[in-house]
Amino acid sequence: MSTEVLPPVAPDVLAEAVEQLSARLRKKLDAAVAECAARAEPAADGSVSVPFGEDAVVTLRPGASGAVTGADQAVCTCLLAPRCLHRAAVLGASPIADGETVPEPPSEPQLGSVSVSLSVPLSEAVSVPLSGSSGTKDAGPESAAVPSPGAALGAVGVGTETSQGPPPALTAAQVRAASALWEAAAEALSAGVTAGGTVVQAELLRAAHTARLAGLPRAEAAALRVVRGLRAARERSQGQRLGDLTGAFRELLTGAAVLAAGSSGPGSTGTTRRAYEQGGSLKVFGLCREPVLSATGYGGVATHLLGPDGAFYTVSDVRPGGLSRARGAGSASVALGGAVLDHAGLARGGLRIVGATVSSDGRLGAGRGVSATPVRGVAWSEEPAAALFARPVHEAMAAVFDGDPLESDGAGAPLLGCDVEVIGAAGECLVVRVVGDGPVLRLRPAHPHPELPHAANLGRIARYPGLVLRVLGRPDLERAATLRPLAVGSVPGASDTLRLPEEWLARADLGYDRLQGSHFPPVAERSVPVGPVGVGSDPLADAPLWRVRRLLETGVAGGRRAVAEAGRGADTAALVAPLRRAGLGGAAELAQALTAEADRRPRDAFGRLRDASADGYARAWLASAVHLAAAERSLVVASWS
């Protein structure tokens, strides 16, 4: 189903439209949603009409932000409007609007609100801290074996408090909103993708909107990510990964749990706007460019910069436009203090900035009082860039892993530089070894989109085993010893290395520059034999933790019933026994508790459910998911040593 014609819709507008439907119409909603996108007809005034026969036409009139943010902007001509199936179906087929396009709630001082650190290429990714949860469940023997999320965190040695002193208390409205969000997320998890239709999504969107009004924008963003993942999975969109939706559910449930408990850590509530602070005068040097693509149709470029003190900065230009915008923005002008540079020139040049404004995640603002003057760029062999490649890999990664093991993801990892020797291709990866008896790394495309040259450039490099090159990329913290390179360059003093043009400063941006045959040493000068590639062991793939991951993903895809079926009979022994043999007793117990809780449906003498709540099941699922994330991260840490 294509939704490119339909405008984005605010979460509360869709939630209200679904709530107004009768029970009979709600059963027909998903079927009606599937037919809407093909009927959409855009008009010259910016509105979109969707006809339903001769007597019913739904018209969406987005506001100045480009999104439908009010109920009066979606009208239907049928007699049942606005409580009609047509209007709710069109709103359900439309994309979910981002928080930035929705009008801000009334500003009230909220305790514990700090700015959210979001990385440029994954601007929608939101990390939520983990803690215990509130809720009720039967006090039966099976439910007593189900640990709480907070207990699971303690079992793997992860603390929920990262700041000194007691955490700031939340308001009563915030606690109520977080509790409602937990309940909606638990119900969505229990339903799974197969039963997580528009009605389930609308309940989650309503809870997300309530969280936004209560001053919990980070929780709202996590809920929107889950809803988008449910939609993509139900529509079987290209590039949709069940593992991503599983991670989104884990982040949403953990964030709602800690907030519903009435305590919060740094960044748990979030802010709706990125705060910029005065940075004074700065001198920054370009490192590389990176294309930016988002699931909501935004595209652009992020140019990574480095200060004399080794601090990272970024200048981004992201707007609606998708892939075409991302490809063209690489040579667009830099909108920063009147600088007469484009992003291609800035990536190999520098800026002297007066009156700089800097956000918490290193983004440079383009305020009215900012002025910038171009300066000469530096090669990677010159300071301060040379320090990135001189630092040992294991030392740099140790600093990365010092953060919260369940909050960090690949998006937030800082850039890592190292000199490597090419071994060859192994599937989708380029296998290299860090020069100087370093670890064997797998290089994966930073952006797998076929229209971007990341994969093609890595494939060409793989044809030259023994080639020595300098790599700058972002570690993938969810895979063992994996780096997603953004740029490559020549190694000073090496003969068998890249031969890039002087105007490129001996480096190439893998997302924009295309490597040619002339950039590599001639074949006559090389004497490296081509043989089978030895990838080495992958501790994450070799561990039987994949069984737990598959169980969790089964629950996300098929809901509670699918987990219950997976834990019956011989399937339980096939799941638990390999984990115990590998010494993963904690993972085995949590997985067994999850399957038991999924199959626990106590009924009274009349066959009615005594406890229809999904709270206990969500607790068990989250406990297993938290333990799995921590165990996998420990294996990833070991792979970099």
Side-chain angles (χ1 to χ4, degrees):
M1 180 178 66
S2 175
T3 59
E4 295 180 356
V5 178
L6 296 172
V9 172
D12 59 306
V13 176
L14 172 58
E16 182 182 2
V18 174
E19 186 180 16
Q20 292 176 344
L21 295 179
S22 63
R24 180 179 62 86
L25 293 180
R26 289 189 181 189
K27 296 179 180 179
K28 302 179 180 180
L29 182 56
D30 288 332
V33 167
E35 304 175 359
C36 290
R39 302 176 180 176
E41 301 174 356
D45 59 353
S47 63
V48 178
S49 299
V50 181
F52 288 86
E54 299 180 355
D55 301 330
V57 177
V58 179
T59 303
L60 302 182
R61 294 185 175 87
S65 63
V68 176
T69 58
D72 57 339
Q73 295 175 331
V75 296
C76 181
T77 58
C78 75
L79 297 178
L80 292 179
R83 297 178 174 84
C84 62
L85 178 65
H86 315 117
R87 180 173 176 270
V90 174
L91 293 174
S94 302
I96 302 299
D98 289 326
E100 288 78 4
T101 61
V102 181
E104 292 292 330
S107 59
E108 295 181 0
Q110 301 291 348
L111 295 178
S113 295
V114 298
S115 60
V116 182
S117 178
L118 301 178
S119 85
V120 174
L122 296 177
S123 57
E124 297 176 344
V126 180
S127 299
V128 183
L130 302 170
S131 177
S133 172
S134 61
T136 58
K137 60 179 183 290
D138 281 358
E142 297 92 345
S143 63
V146 179
S148 67
L153 291 172
V156 298
V158 179
T160 59
E161 178 55 40
T162 59
S163 62
Q164 299 294 331
L170 300 177
T171 64
Q174 288 177 321
V175 174
R176 289 194 300 269
S179 300
L181 188 58
W182 165 270
E183 294 176 1
E187 293 295 337
L189 177 66
S190 180
V193 173
T194 55
T198 307
V199 175
V200 173
Q201 297 171 22
E203 292 298 327
L204 194 52
L205 290 175
R206 174 172 290 281
H209 179 66
T210 304
R212 179 181 178 83
L213 295 179
L216 303 174
R218 193 172 192 179
E220 181 214 22
L224 296 185
R225 186 182 173 198
V226 168
V227 172
R228 293 191 180 103
L230 285 173
R231 288 189 171 192
R234 290 177 61 85
E235 297 168 6
R236 298 181 181 179
S237 301
Q238 185 177 5
Q240 184 273 336
R241 294 179 63 249
L242 188 59
D244 294 338
L245 181 55
T246 303
F249 263 111
R250 188 191 74 233
E251 292 175 359
L252 173 60
L253 288 170
T254 51
V258 65
L259 294 173
S263 62
S264 65
S268 60
T269 56
T271 57
T272 56
R273 299 297 180 189
R274 180 177 287 103
Y276 286 85
E277 298 180 356
Q278 291 296 328
S281 297
L282 287 177
K283 189 176 182 180
V284 293
F285 303 97
L287 290 175
C288 63
R289 295 170 292 168
E290 179 183 9
V292 178
L293 282 174
S294 75
T296 54
Y298 283 78
V301 63
T303 299
H304 298 274
L305 309 168
L306 187 67
D309 57 350
F312 291 101
Y313 301 92
T314 55
V315 174
S316 60
D317 181 8
V318 182
R319 301 175 186 176
L323 177 63
S324 59
R325 178 75 176 82
R327 297 173 62 182
S331 56
S333 299
V334 176
L336 180 65
V340 288
L341 276 178
D342 57 18
H343 282 272
L346 180 59
R348 295 181 174 92
L351 287 175
R352 187 185 301 276
I353 309 173
V354 178
T357 56
V358 186
S359 69
S360 59
D361 58 351
R363 295 198 190 187
L364 296 177
R368 184 174 301 177
V370 178
S371 62
T373 304
V375 297
R376 184 188 72 86
V378 297
W380 284 356
S381 57
E382 304 177 41
E383 294 295 344
L388 289 176
F389 304 93
R391 190 179 187 184
V393 171
H394 68 276
E395 180 182 325
M397 290 306 301
V400 173
F401 288 120
D402 280 344
D404 189 328
L406 295 176
E407 280 192 10
S408 301
D409 54 20
L415 298 183
L416 173 69
C418 57
D419 294 344
V420 300
E421 180 182 355
V422 175
I423 299 178
E428 299 178 353
C429 303
L430 171 62
V431 183
V432 299
R433 181 183 297 277
V434 177
V435 174
D437 297 331
V440 174
L441 305 182
R442 298 165 179 83
L443 305 187
R444 288 181 173 270
H447 294 278
H449 199 287
E451 296 296 327
L452 296 175
H454 288 94
N457 284 330
L458 292 182
R460 182 174 285 274
I461 295 174
R463 303 175 191 172
Y464 295 84
L467 184 72
V468 180
L469 68 155
R470 187 157 279 185
V471 178
L472 181 66
R474 184 177 292 107
D476 188 339
L477 304 186
E478 296 182 355
R479 299 178 184 270
T482 300
L483 186 68
R484 296 190 179 271
L486 303 179
V488 295
S490 306
V491 177
S495 58
D496 196 5
T497 187
L498 293 173
R499 302 182 178 182
L500 301 174
E502 294 182 3
E503 58 270 19
W504 286 11
L505 285 184
R507 59 181 185 255
D509 298 330
L510 295 179
Y512 288 102
D513 302 322
R514 291 187 178 271
L515 297 176
Q516 307 296 330
S518 60
H519 298 152
F520 295 88
V523 178
E525 300 181 9
R526 309 187 76 252
S527 59
V528 180
V530 179
V533 175
V535 182
S537 62
D538 185 344
L540 193 58
D542 297 341
L545 289 172
W546 63 267
R547 300 176 184 274
V548 181
R549 189 185 315 113
R550 185 174 65 179
L551 178 65
L552 296 175
E553 292 179 354
T554 298
V556 172
R560 180 173 184 167
R561 292 183 179 180
V563 175
E565 290 293 335
R568 291 174 181 168
D571 293 337
T572 302
L575 170 65
V576 174
L579 293 172
R580 295 190 185 280
R581 286 196 299 267
L584 300 172
E589 292 180 6
L590 291 173
Q592 194 170 15
L594 172 59
T595 56
E597 179 65 22
D599 201 28
R600 187 184 64 85
R601 308 286 281 180
R603 298 180 181 273
D604 58 16
F606 298 98
R608 297 171 299 189
L609 285 174
R610 288 192 318 214
D611 180 15
S613 172
D615 180 81
Y617 170 73
R619 285 172 176 265
W621 186 95
L622 181 58
S624 187
V626 168
H627 186 279
L628 174 65
E632 289 183 334
R633 186 180 179 100
S634 65
L635 294 176
V636 172
V637 172
S639 69
W640 284 92
S641 60

mmCIF file of all heavy atoms in Angstrom, residues 35-77:
data_model
loop_
_atom_site.group_PDB
_atom_site.id
_atom_site.type_symbol
_atom_site.label_atom_id
_atom_site.label_comp_id
_atom_site.label_asym_id
_atom_site.label_seq_id
_atom_site.Cartn_x
_atom_site.Cartn_y
_atom_site.Cartn_z
ATOM 1 N N GLU A 35 -7.689 -0.234 1.159
ATOM 2 C CA GLU A 35 -8.138 0.210 -0.160
ATOM 3 C C GLU A 35 -8.037 1.712 -0.360
ATOM 4 O O GLU A 35 -8.330 2.211 -1.449
ATOM 5 C CB GLU A 35 -9.599 -0.222 -0.367
ATOM 6 C CG GLU A 35 -9.832 -1.718 -0.206
ATOM 7 C CD GLU A 35 -11.305 -2.069 -0.293
ATOM 8 O OE1 GLU A 35 -12.115 -1.114 -0.459
ATOM 9 O OE2 GLU A 35 -11.654 -3.254 -0.188
ATOM 10 N N CYS A 36 -7.611 2.442 0.653
ATOM 11 C CA CYS A 36 -7.686 3.906 0.572
ATOM 12 C C CYS A 36 -6.592 4.516 -0.292
ATOM 13 O O CYS A 36 -6.846 5.433 -1.081
ATOM 14 C CB CYS A 36 -7.617 4.504 1.976
ATOM 15 S SG CYS A 36 -9.091 4.197 2.958
ATOM 16 N N ALA A 37 -5.362 4.062 -0.144
ATOM 17 C CA ALA A 37 -4.232 4.717 -0.797
ATOM 18 C C ALA A 37 -4.366 4.711 -2.310
ATOM 19 O O ALA A 37 -3.998 5.682 -2.980
ATOM 20 C CB ALA A 37 -2.932 4.041 -0.383
ATOM 21 N N ALA A 38 -4.904 3.619 -2.864
ATOM 22 C CA ALA A 38 -5.028 3.536 -4.321
ATOM 23 C C ALA A 38 -6.073 4.510 -4.864
ATOM 24 O O ALA A 38 -6.037 4.862 -6.042
ATOM 25 C CB ALA A 38 -5.385 2.108 -4.727
ATOM 26 N N ARG A 39 -7.000 4.969 -4.018
ATOM 27 C CA ARG A 39 -8.058 5.872 -4.476
ATOM 28 C C ARG A 39 -7.723 7.346 -4.278
ATOM 29 O O ARG A 39 -8.455 8.219 -4.725
ATOM 30 C CB ARG A 39 -9.351 5.569 -3.718
ATOM 31 C CG ARG A 39 -9.860 4.139 -3.850
ATOM 32 C CD ARG A 39 -11.098 3.949 -2.982
ATOM 33 N NE ARG A 39 -11.623 2.602 -3.056
ATOM 34 C CZ ARG A 39 -12.653 2.178 -2.323
ATOM 35 N NH1 ARG A 39 -13.227 3.022 -1.462
ATOM 36 N NH2 ARG A 39 -13.082 0.939 -2.436
ATOM 37 N N ALA A 40 -6.639 7.634 -3.584
ATOM 38 C CA ALA A 40 -6.323 9.021 -3.238
ATOM 39 C C ALA A 40 -6.058 9.849 -4.486
ATOM 40 O O ALA A 40 -5.341 9.423 -5.400
ATOM 41 C CB ALA A 40 -5.111 9.057 -2.311
ATOM 42 N N GLU A 41 -6.643 11.058 -4.510
ATOM 43 C CA GLU A 41 -6.502 11.969 -5.644
ATOM 44 C C GLU A 41 -6.099 13.344 -5.125
ATOM 45 O O GLU A 41 -6.890 14.030 -4.471
ATOM 46 C CB GLU A 41 -7.817 12.076 -6.417
ATOM 47 C CG GLU A 41 -8.326 10.748 -6.959
ATOM 48 C CD GLU A 41 -9.708 10.878 -7.581
ATOM 49 O OE1 GLU A 41 -10.284 12.009 -7.507
ATOM 50 O OE2 GLU A 41 -10.225 9.875 -8.119
ATOM 51 N N PRO A 42 -4.857 13.787 -5.365
ATOM 52 C CA PRO A 42 -4.436 15.114 -4.898
ATOM 53 C C PRO A 42 -5.068 16.219 -5.723
ATOM 54 O O PRO A 42 -5.323 16.066 -6.925
ATOM 55 C CB PRO A 42 -2.914 15.070 -5.078
ATOM 56 C CG PRO A 42 -2.690 14.079 -6.171
ATOM 57 C CD PRO A 42 -3.775 13.055 -6.042
ATOM 58 N N ALA A 43 -5.322 17.360 -5.090
ATOM 59 C CA ALA A 43 -5.901 18.523 -5.759
ATOM 60 C C ALA A 43 -4.866 19.641 -5.827
ATOM 61 O O ALA A 43 -3.828 19.609 -5.161
ATOM 62 C CB ALA A 43 -7.151 18.999 -5.010
ATOM 63 N N ALA A 44 -5.170 20.652 -6.634
ATOM 64 C CA ALA A 44 -4.226 21.756 -6.836
ATOM 65 C C ALA A 44 -4.049 22.593 -5.582
ATOM 66 O O ALA A 44 -2.997 23.218 -5.389
ATOM 67 C CB ALA A 44 -4.697 22.634 -7.991
ATOM 68 N N ASP A 45 -5.064 22.649 -4.706
ATOM 69 C CA ASP A 45 -4.963 23.470 -3.501
ATOM 70 C C ASP A 45 -4.254 22.768 -2.353
ATOM 71 O O ASP A 45 -4.217 23.283 -1.235
ATOM 72 C CB ASP A 45 -6.360 23.902 -3.051
ATOM 73 C CG ASP A 45 -7.270 22.720 -2.747
ATOM 74 O OD1 ASP A 45 -6.866 21.563 -3.020
ATOM 75 O OD2 ASP A 45 -8.387 22.943 -2.232
ATOM 76 N N GLY A 46 -3.684 21.588 -2.595
ATOM 77 C CA GLY A 46 -2.968 20.859 -1.566
ATOM 78 C C GLY A 46 -3.792 19.835 -0.822
ATOM 79 O O GLY A 46 -3.247 19.055 -0.047
ATOM 80 N N SER A 47 -5.098 19.807 -1.043
ATOM 81 C CA SER A 47 -5.947 18.828 -0.386
ATOM 82 C C SER A 47 -5.886 17.495 -1.133
ATOM 83 O O SER A 47 -5.440 17.415 -2.276
ATOM 84 C CB SER A 47 -7.391 19.323 -0.324
ATOM 85 O OG SER A 47 -7.915 19.485 -1.642
ATOM 86 N N VAL A 48 -6.342 16.442 -0.457
ATOM 87 C CA VAL A 48 -6.373 15.098 -1.032
ATOM 88 C C VAL A 48 -7.768 14.527 -0.810
ATOM 89 O O VAL A 48 -8.292 14.566 0.306
ATOM 90 C CB VAL A 48 -5.317 14.183 -0.385
ATOM 91 C CG1 VAL A 48 -5.401 12.772 -0.966
ATOM 92 C CG2 VAL A 48 -3.923 14.746 -0.596
ATOM 93 N N SER A 49 -8.365 14.000 -1.880
ATOM 94 C CA SER A 49 -9.712 13.421 -1.804
ATOM 95 C C SER A 49 -9.640 11.924 -2.043
ATOM 96 O O SER A 49 -8.872 11.448 -2.890
ATOM 97 C CB SER A 49 -10.640 14.058 -2.842
ATOM 98 O OG SER A 49 -10.762 15.454 -2.610
ATOM 99 N N VAL A 50 -10.456 11.187 -1.300
ATOM 100 C CA VAL A 50 -10.538 9.733 -1.441
ATOM 101 C C VAL A 50 -12.010 9.375 -1.602
ATOM 102 O O VAL A 50 -12.785 9.473 -0.641
ATOM 103 C CB VAL A 50 -9.945 9.014 -0.219
ATOM 104 C CG1 VAL A 50 -10.017 7.502 -0.406
ATOM 105 C CG2 VAL A 50 -8.506 9.451 0.008
ATOM 106 N N PRO A 51 -12.457 8.971 -2.803
ATOM 107 C CA PRO A 51 -13.872 8.654 -3.014
ATOM 108 C C PRO A 51 -14.224 7.253 -2.525
ATOM 109 O O PRO A 51 -13.430 6.320 -2.641
ATOM 110 C CB PRO A 51 -14.018 8.762 -4.534
ATOM 111 C CG PRO A 51 -12.658 8.447 -5.072
ATOM 112 C CD PRO A 51 -11.674 8.935 -4.048
ATOM 113 N N PHE A 52 -15.422 7.116 -1.963
ATOM 114 C CA PHE A 52 -16.001 5.828 -1.575
ATOM 115 C C PHE A 52 -17.372 5.739 -2.234
ATOM 116 O O PHE A 52 -18.378 6.134 -1.650
ATOM 117 C CB PHE A 52 -16.139 5.720 -0.053
ATOM 118 C CG PHE A 52 -14.834 5.536 0.679
ATOM 119 C CD1 PHE A 52 -14.068 6.633 1.040
ATOM 120 C CD2 PHE A 52 -14.370 4.277 0.997
ATOM 121 C CE1 PHE A 52 -12.870 6.481 1.719
ATOM 122 C CE2 PHE A 52 -13.175 4.114 1.680
ATOM 123 C CZ PHE A 52 -12.417 5.209 2.035
ATOM 124 N N GLY A 53 -17.425 5.268 -3.429
ATOM 125 C CA GLY A 53 -18.683 5.212 -4.145
ATOM 126 C C GLY A 53 -19.115 6.590 -4.622
ATOM 127 O O GLY A 53 -18.302 7.508 -4.792
ATOM 128 N N GLU A 54 -20.411 6.755 -4.816
ATOM 129 C CA GLU A 54 -20.941 8.015 -5.347
ATOM 130 C C GLU A 54 -21.324 9.012 -4.266
ATOM 131 O O GLU A 54 -21.361 10.219 -4.522
ATOM 132 C CB GLU A 54 -22.174 7.725 -6.216
ATOM 133 C CG GLU A 54 -21.888 6.830 -7.420
ATOM 134 C CD GLU A 54 -23.133 6.579 -8.237
ATOM 135 O OE1 GLU A 54 -24.221 7.037 -7.801
ATOM 136 O OE2 GLU A 54 -23.040 5.930 -9.291
ATOM 137 N N ASP A 55 -21.624 8.540 -3.079
ATOM 138 C CA ASP A 55 -22.180 9.421 -2.049
ATOM 139 C C ASP A 55 -21.202 9.768 -0.937
ATOM 140 O O ASP A 55 -21.556 10.531 -0.034
ATOM 141 C CB ASP A 55 -23.418 8.769 -1.410
ATOM 142 C CG ASP A 55 -24.494 8.488 -2.442
ATOM 143 O OD1 ASP A 55 -24.564 9.247 -3.425
ATOM 144 O OD2 ASP A 55 -25.228 7.501 -2.270
ATOM 145 N N ALA A 56 -20.007 9.231 -0.968
ATOM 146 C CA ALA A 56 -19.068 9.468 0.124
ATOM 147 C C ALA A 56 -17.696 9.808 -0.437
ATOM 148 O O ALA A 56 -17.114 9.026 -1.190
ATOM 149 C CB ALA A 56 -18.978 8.246 1.035
ATOM 150 N N VAL A 57 -17.199 10.997 -0.059
ATOM 151 C CA VAL A 57 -15.859 11.441 -0.448
ATOM 152 C C VAL A 57 -15.195 12.030 0.797
ATOM 153 O O VAL A 57 -15.737 12.947 1.427
ATOM 154 C CB VAL A 57 -15.897 12.483 -1.574
ATOM 155 C CG1 VAL A 57 -14.475 12.964 -1.896
ATOM 156 C CG2 VAL A 57 -16.553 11.903 -2.818
ATOM 157 N N VAL A 58 -14.043 11.520 1.123
ATOM 158 C CA VAL A 58 -13.273 12.028 2.257
ATOM 159 C C VAL A 58 -12.222 12.992 1.730
ATOM 160 O O VAL A 58 -11.485 12.670 0.792
ATOM 161 C CB VAL A 58 -12.600 10.887 3.041
ATOM 162 C CG1 VAL A 58 -11.773 11.445 4.204
ATOM 163 C CG2 VAL A 58 -13.647 9.913 3.558
ATOM 164 N N THR A 59 -12.140 14.167 2.337
ATOM 165 C CA THR A 59 -11.185 15.194 1.912
ATOM 166 C C THR A 59 -10.297 15.568 3.085
ATOM 167 O O THR A 59 -10.788 15.903 4.164
ATOM 168 C CB THR A 59 -11.903 16.447 1.399
ATOM 169 O OG1 THR A 59 -12.771 16.081 0.326
ATOM 170 C CG2 THR A 59 -10.893 17.469 0.887
ATOM 171 N N LEU A 60 -8.996 15.493 2.855
ATOM 172 C CA LEU A 60 -8.010 15.901 3.852
ATOM 173 C C LEU A 60 -7.397 17.220 3.412
ATOM 174 O O LEU A 60 -6.905 17.340 2.285
ATOM 175 C CB LEU A 60 -6.914 14.841 4.004
ATOM 176 C CG LEU A 60 -7.357 13.425 4.405
ATOM 177 C CD1 LEU A 60 -6.151 12.526 4.565
ATOM 178 C CD2 LEU A 60 -8.173 13.449 5.685
ATOM 179 N N ARG A 61 -7.431 18.207 4.299
ATOM 180 C CA ARG A 61 -6.850 19.523 4.003
ATOM 181 C C ARG A 61 -5.762 19.822 5.038
ATOM 182 O O ARG A 61 -6.042 20.354 6.115
ATOM 183 C CB ARG A 61 -7.925 20.611 4.040
ATOM 184 C CG ARG A 61 -8.972 20.466 2.936
ATOM 185 C CD ARG A 61 -9.949 21.633 2.941
ATOM 186 N NE ARG A 61 -10.879 21.572 1.820
ATOM 187 C CZ ARG A 61 -12.023 20.896 1.840
ATOM 188 N NH1 ARG A 61 -12.394 20.246 2.941
ATOM 189 N NH2 ARG A 61 -12.797 20.881 0.777
ATOM 190 N N PRO A 62 -4.525 19.463 4.739
ATOM 191 C CA PRO A 62 -3.443 19.699 5.706
ATOM 192 C C PRO A 62 -3.206 21.174 5.934
ATOM 193 O O PRO A 62 -3.480 22.021 5.068
ATOM 194 C CB PRO A 62 -2.233 19.022 5.050
ATOM 195 C CG PRO A 62 -2.556 18.983 3.593
ATOM 196 C CD PRO A 62 -4.047 18.848 3.492
ATOM 197 N N GLY A 63 -2.671 21.497 7.106
ATOM 198 C CA GLY A 63 -2.385 22.876 7.455
ATOM 199 C C GLY A 63 -1.059 23.346 6.903
ATOM 200 O O GLY A 63 -0.466 22.737 5.998
ATOM 201 N N ALA A 64 -0.575 24.445 7.475
ATOM 202 C CA ALA A 64 0.674 25.029 6.985
ATOM 203 C C ALA A 64 1.860 24.102 7.197
ATOM 204 O O ALA A 64 2.835 24.155 6.444
ATOM 205 C CB ALA A 64 0.928 26.362 7.689
ATOM 206 N N SER A 65 1.794 23.237 8.198
ATOM 207 C CA SER A 65 2.895 22.310 8.462
ATOM 208 C C SER A 65 2.917 21.145 7.493
ATOM 209 O O SER A 65 3.857 20.352 7.498
ATOM 210 C CB SER A 65 2.793 21.781 9.892
ATOM 211 O OG SER A 65 1.595 21.039 10.068
ATOM 212 N N GLY A 66 1.868 21.007 6.666
ATOM 213 C CA GLY A 66 1.786 19.886 5.748
ATOM 214 C C GLY A 66 1.126 18.662 6.337
ATOM 215 O O GLY A 66 1.039 17.628 5.672
ATOM 216 N N ALA A 67 0.644 18.741 7.577
ATOM 217 C CA ALA A 67 0.023 17.613 8.257
ATOM 218 C C ALA A 67 -1.396 17.973 8.681
ATOM 219 O O ALA A 67 -1.741 19.147 8.871
ATOM 220 C CB ALA A 67 0.843 17.196 9.472
ATOM 221 N N VAL A 68 -2.222 16.952 8.837
ATOM 222 C CA VAL A 68 -3.579 17.109 9.355
ATOM 223 C C VAL A 68 -3.489 17.066 10.874
ATOM 224 O O VAL A 68 -3.278 16.008 11.468
ATOM 225 C CB VAL A 68 -4.495 15.997 8.824
ATOM 226 C CG1 VAL A 68 -5.885 16.115 9.440
ATOM 227 C CG2 VAL A 68 -4.580 16.048 7.305
ATOM 228 N N THR A 69 -3.645 18.217 11.496
ATOM 229 C CA THR A 69 -3.471 18.319 12.949
ATOM 230 C C THR A 69 -4.774 18.611 13.690
ATOM 231 O O THR A 69 -4.761 18.719 14.912
ATOM 232 C CB THR A 69 -2.459 19.417 13.278
ATOM 233 O OG1 THR A 69 -2.917 20.663 12.717
ATOM 234 C CG2 THR A 69 -1.090 19.087 12.694
ATOM 235 N N GLY A 70 -5.883 18.731 12.988
ATOM 236 C CA GLY A 70 -7.170 19.003 13.612
ATOM 237 C C GLY A 70 -8.264 18.165 12.988
ATOM 238 O O GLY A 70 -8.197 17.792 11.804
ATOM 239 N N ALA A 71 -9.297 17.842 13.781
ATOM 240 C CA ALA A 71 -10.383 17.014 13.276
ATOM 241 C C ALA A 71 -11.131 17.690 12.136
ATOM 242 O O ALA A 71 -11.667 17.013 11.247
ATOM 243 C CB ALA A 71 -11.342 16.673 14.418
ATOM 244 N N ASP A 72 -11.180 19.029 12.121
ATOM 245 C CA ASP A 72 -11.902 19.733 11.078
ATOM 246 C C ASP A 72 -11.179 19.712 9.738
ATOM 247 O O ASP A 72 -11.748 20.108 8.721
ATOM 248 C CB ASP A 72 -12.137 21.186 11.504
ATOM 249 C CG ASP A 72 -10.831 21.903 11.830
ATOM 250 O OD1 ASP A 72 -9.826 21.216 12.110
ATOM 251 O OD2 ASP A 72 -10.823 23.149 11.812
ATOM 252 N N GLN A 73 -9.938 19.228 9.708
ATOM 253 C CA GLN A 73 -9.202 19.138 8.459
ATOM 254 C C GLN A 73 -9.446 17.823 7.734
ATOM 255 O O GLN A 73 -8.890 17.609 6.653
ATOM 256 C CB GLN A 73 -7.700 19.302 8.723
ATOM 257 C CG GLN A 73 -7.341 20.682 9.253
ATOM 258 C CD GLN A 73 -5.865 20.787 9.617
ATOM 259 O OE1 GLN A 73 -5.242 19.796 9.987
ATOM 260 N NE2 GLN A 73 -5.317 21.988 9.515
ATOM 261 N N ALA A 74 -10.249 16.948 8.287
ATOM 262 C CA ALA A 74 -10.628 15.690 7.654
ATOM 263 C C ALA A 74 -12.148 15.579 7.675
ATOM 264 O O ALA A 74 -12.755 15.413 8.752
ATOM 265 C CB ALA A 74 -9.997 14.499 8.386
ATOM 266 N N VAL A 75 -12.790 15.693 6.514
ATOM 267 C CA VAL A 75 -14.252 15.705 6.423
ATOM 268 C C VAL A 75 -14.707 14.648 5.429
ATOM 269 O O VAL A 75 -13.976 14.280 4.500
ATOM 270 C CB VAL A 75 -14.776 17.086 5.996
ATOM 271 C CG1 VAL A 75 -14.444 18.132 7.035
ATOM 272 C CG2 VAL A 75 -14.197 17.497 4.648
ATOM 273 N N CYS A 76 -15.923 14.159 5.658
ATOM 274 C CA CYS A 76 -16.541 13.177 4.769
ATOM 275 C C CYS A 76 -17.947 13.645 4.424
ATOM 276 O O CYS A 76 -18.618 14.293 5.249
ATOM 277 C CB CYS A 76 -16.570 11.797 5.435
ATOM 278 S SG CYS A 76 -17.291 10.488 4.401
ATOM 279 N N THR A 77 -18.405 13.315 3.239
ATOM 280 C CA THR A 77 -19.715 13.778 2.777
ATOM 281 C C THR A 77 -20.839 12.805 3.090
ATOM 282 O O THR A 77 -21.992 13.070 2.735
ATOM 283 C CB THR A 77 -19.671 14.011 1.256
ATOM 284 O OG1 THR A 77 -19.297 12.787 0.589
ATOM 285 C CG2 THR A 77 -18.666 15.092 0.902
#
